[in-house]
Amino acid sequence: MEKLIINQMTWPELEAELAHVKLALVPVGSCEQHGPNTTFNTDAARAASYAEMLAGRCGKKVVVFPCVTYGLSLHHMDFPGTVTLRVETMLHLLEDIGVSIAKHGIKKILFLNAHGGNFPALEGAVINLKQLHGIDAYWSAVGSEISLGGLTGLPKLIGHACEVETSSCLYLCPETVREERVPGMLKDSMLTHDSFVKGGGAWSWKNDASLNGALGDARKATREIGEKMTVASLDYMEKIVDEIIKRP
């Protein structure tokens, strides 16, 4: 096996490889609306595909666990089909996943997150894993600022069902993207701009960001943009994996 993906393995196959494994990769997504352009599985599919691509680069020193397919999506609940967890539910879920993985001898864990709303639970989980369980845990976004380098002409509000995320989907998980796409129907709100006031779960995506659930203009998305962003991010993350493994 060139890369280790739990969903494609039996337990004896994993046990035979555990001596090589230094880090567990756990993709994290959500079940939430992404406008009329991409499906509810967008975040989970992006996270899972990204984790497998990273594993392909890193080889047997990492193993990819199944994706967490639900997240913190309270601000999207005005759109039918969205499912949200409570912060404490998700925090405990991530913590339990980390503790279980560590019991099998893998003491370093990296959560690869594809949904911005998950930040509070991820931060709490990695703190608890370190402080309460002595597990070396980290989290990172699968698409960071480094992956936007060289892209020009982007609107101020990006990151959800826009040309950027949809481009990422066209490369990582094209099955989530609709062929016919429409631009976002933006709503102006203090909570969608830089502000000292933080809405947290109090704001509504439909009332404060976009009437149809999308930002930007997904019609401008291309697979080439998605590939460029993903490769830049993977180049960076591959180095981060080595840094994490080297840390005492």
Side-chain angles (χ1 to χ4, degrees), residues 2 11 72 81 85 92 99 137 141 148 181 183 186 196 199 220 230 237:
E2 296 182 0
W11 76 260
L72 305 181
L85 303 177
H92 292 153
V99 170
L148 299 177
R181 301 188 288 275
L186 301 187
F196 288 112
K220 299 177 181 178
T230 302
M237 196 59 64

Side-chain angles (χ1 to χ4, degrees), residues 1-55:
M1 293 183 181
E2 296 182 0
K3 58 183 177 181
L4 305 180
I5 313 294
I6 282 282
N7 280 348
Q8 301 171 8
M9 303 176 71
T10 66
W11 76 260
E13 290 170 344
L14 177 63
E15 186 176 57
E17 301 288 358
L18 276 177
H20 308 290
V21 176
K22 306 299 180 185
L23 174 70
L25 303 177
V26 182
V28 183
S30 71
C31 175
E32 69 173 27
Q33 71 83 23
H34 278 75
N37 302 314
T38 61
T39 69
F40 286 91
N41 194 43
T42 293
D43 292 337
R46 286 177 59 231
S49 179
Y50 184 94
E52 292 194 14
M53 286 187 180
L54 182 57

Side-chain angles (χ1 to χ4, degrees), residues 121-140:
L122 286 158
E123 191 66 18
V126 298
I127 289 172
N128 281 358
L129 286 168
K130 290 180 180 181
Q131 190 172 37
L132 303 180
H133 306 286
I135 298 169
D136 203 21
Y138 305 84
W139 75 270
S140 174

